[in-house]
Amino acid sequence: MTIGQTFARDLENESKSGRAMLERIPAETFDWQPHERSMSMKRLAGLVADMYGWFQFIVDEPELDFAKGYEQPDPKTTEDLLTWLDKKLAVGLKSLSEAPDERFEDEWKLRRGDEVFMTTTKGEMCRQTFGHLAHHRGQLSVYLRLKDIPVPQIYGPSADEGSM
């Protein structure tokens, strides 16, 4: 199994809990935010859905330059959110699965024009993205709890479902 295939298997497994969270978010909660400096439910849920596709540009491109534009999700319904997740997951899985091991040693940059935020390897950026995804999915679980939406299990039972 290649490095990319291992990452793809991990991404597919992680997507199950992400999907379980996203499918519970009613569109009428999209504008809600727990604090004025916090993201709205819609923005956070869209970010979580979108992150599954980040592996495509990490693996297949030398950089992400925000100055060139970046399409962010703007769901109107829960179904829109899930459709975005499915689209992004598919491209992320494809890129990871097809990448040769040596690709993960290549340099990758995150920038906005001349301002470079980060330079690292594609492999390290993939690992960081898994952590980043888990972080925002964790935030989303708190949003669900605050809106009295049952939190699905992630790595084990939640207070709302399952038992050990």
Side-chain angles (χ1 to χ4, degrees):
M1 184 175 288
T2 66
I3 293 168
Q5 289 166 341
T6 300
F7 279 150
R9 185 185 63 207
D10 292 344
L11 186 63
E12 195 159 19
N13 287 334
E14 290 293 315
S15 74
K16 293 172 187 166
S17 58
R19 170 175 279 285
M21 287 191 159
L22 296 175
E23 66 191 9
R24 293 174 186 216
I25 302 170
E28 58 268 15
T29 66
F30 280 7
D31 291 332
W32 179 83
Q33 60 191 101
H35 187 275
E36 65 186 33
R37 291 192 314 252
S38 299
M39 286 186 258
S40 68
M41 178 81 83
K42 176 181 173 177
R43 183 159 182 234
L44 180 58
L47 175 60
V48 170
D50 193 50
M51 289 182 78
Y52 293 96
W54 288 10
F55 294 91
Q56 183 273 323
F57 58 75
I58 294 168
V59 171
D60 296 340
E61 303 297 331
E63 65 182 20
L64 173 60
D65 184 351
F66 288 115
K68 295 178 181 177
Y70 183 81
E71 181 186 12
Q72 295 186 13
D74 185 24
K76 307 294 186 236
T77 66
T78 304
E79 189 56 43
D80 289 348
L81 202 50
L82 296 172
T83 298
W84 191 270
L85 166 67
D86 292 340
K87 175 178 130 178
K88 293 302 185 167
L89 178 61
V91 298
L93 290 172
K94 182 178 188 306
S95 292
L96 287 168
S97 296
E98 294 176 358
D101 283 349
E102 54 274 5
R103 172 103 34 97
F104 294 94
E105 297 170 17
D106 292 349
E107 182 179 274
W108 190 83
K109 289 184 182 179
L110 180 64
R111 67 184 327 136
R112 182 182 302 118
D114 292 335
E115 184 179 8
V116 176
F117 302 112
M118 177 188 299
T119 301
T120 188
T121 66
K122 291 175 181 271
E124 179 58 29
M125 194 65 219
C126 285
R127 286 187 295 276
Q128 287 183 26
T129 299
F130 276 107
H132 194 171
L133 178 57
H135 162 74
H136 286 303
R137 188 182 54 208
Q139 280 184 302
L140 191 55
S141 73
V142 172
Y143 279 37
L144 295 180
R145 175 68 68 229
L146 292 172
K147 292 302 288 177
D148 288 324
I149 299 168
V151 176
Q153 64 179 13
I154 298 174
Y155 297 116
S158 73
D160 297 312
E161 63 181 49
S163 62
M164 293 193 90

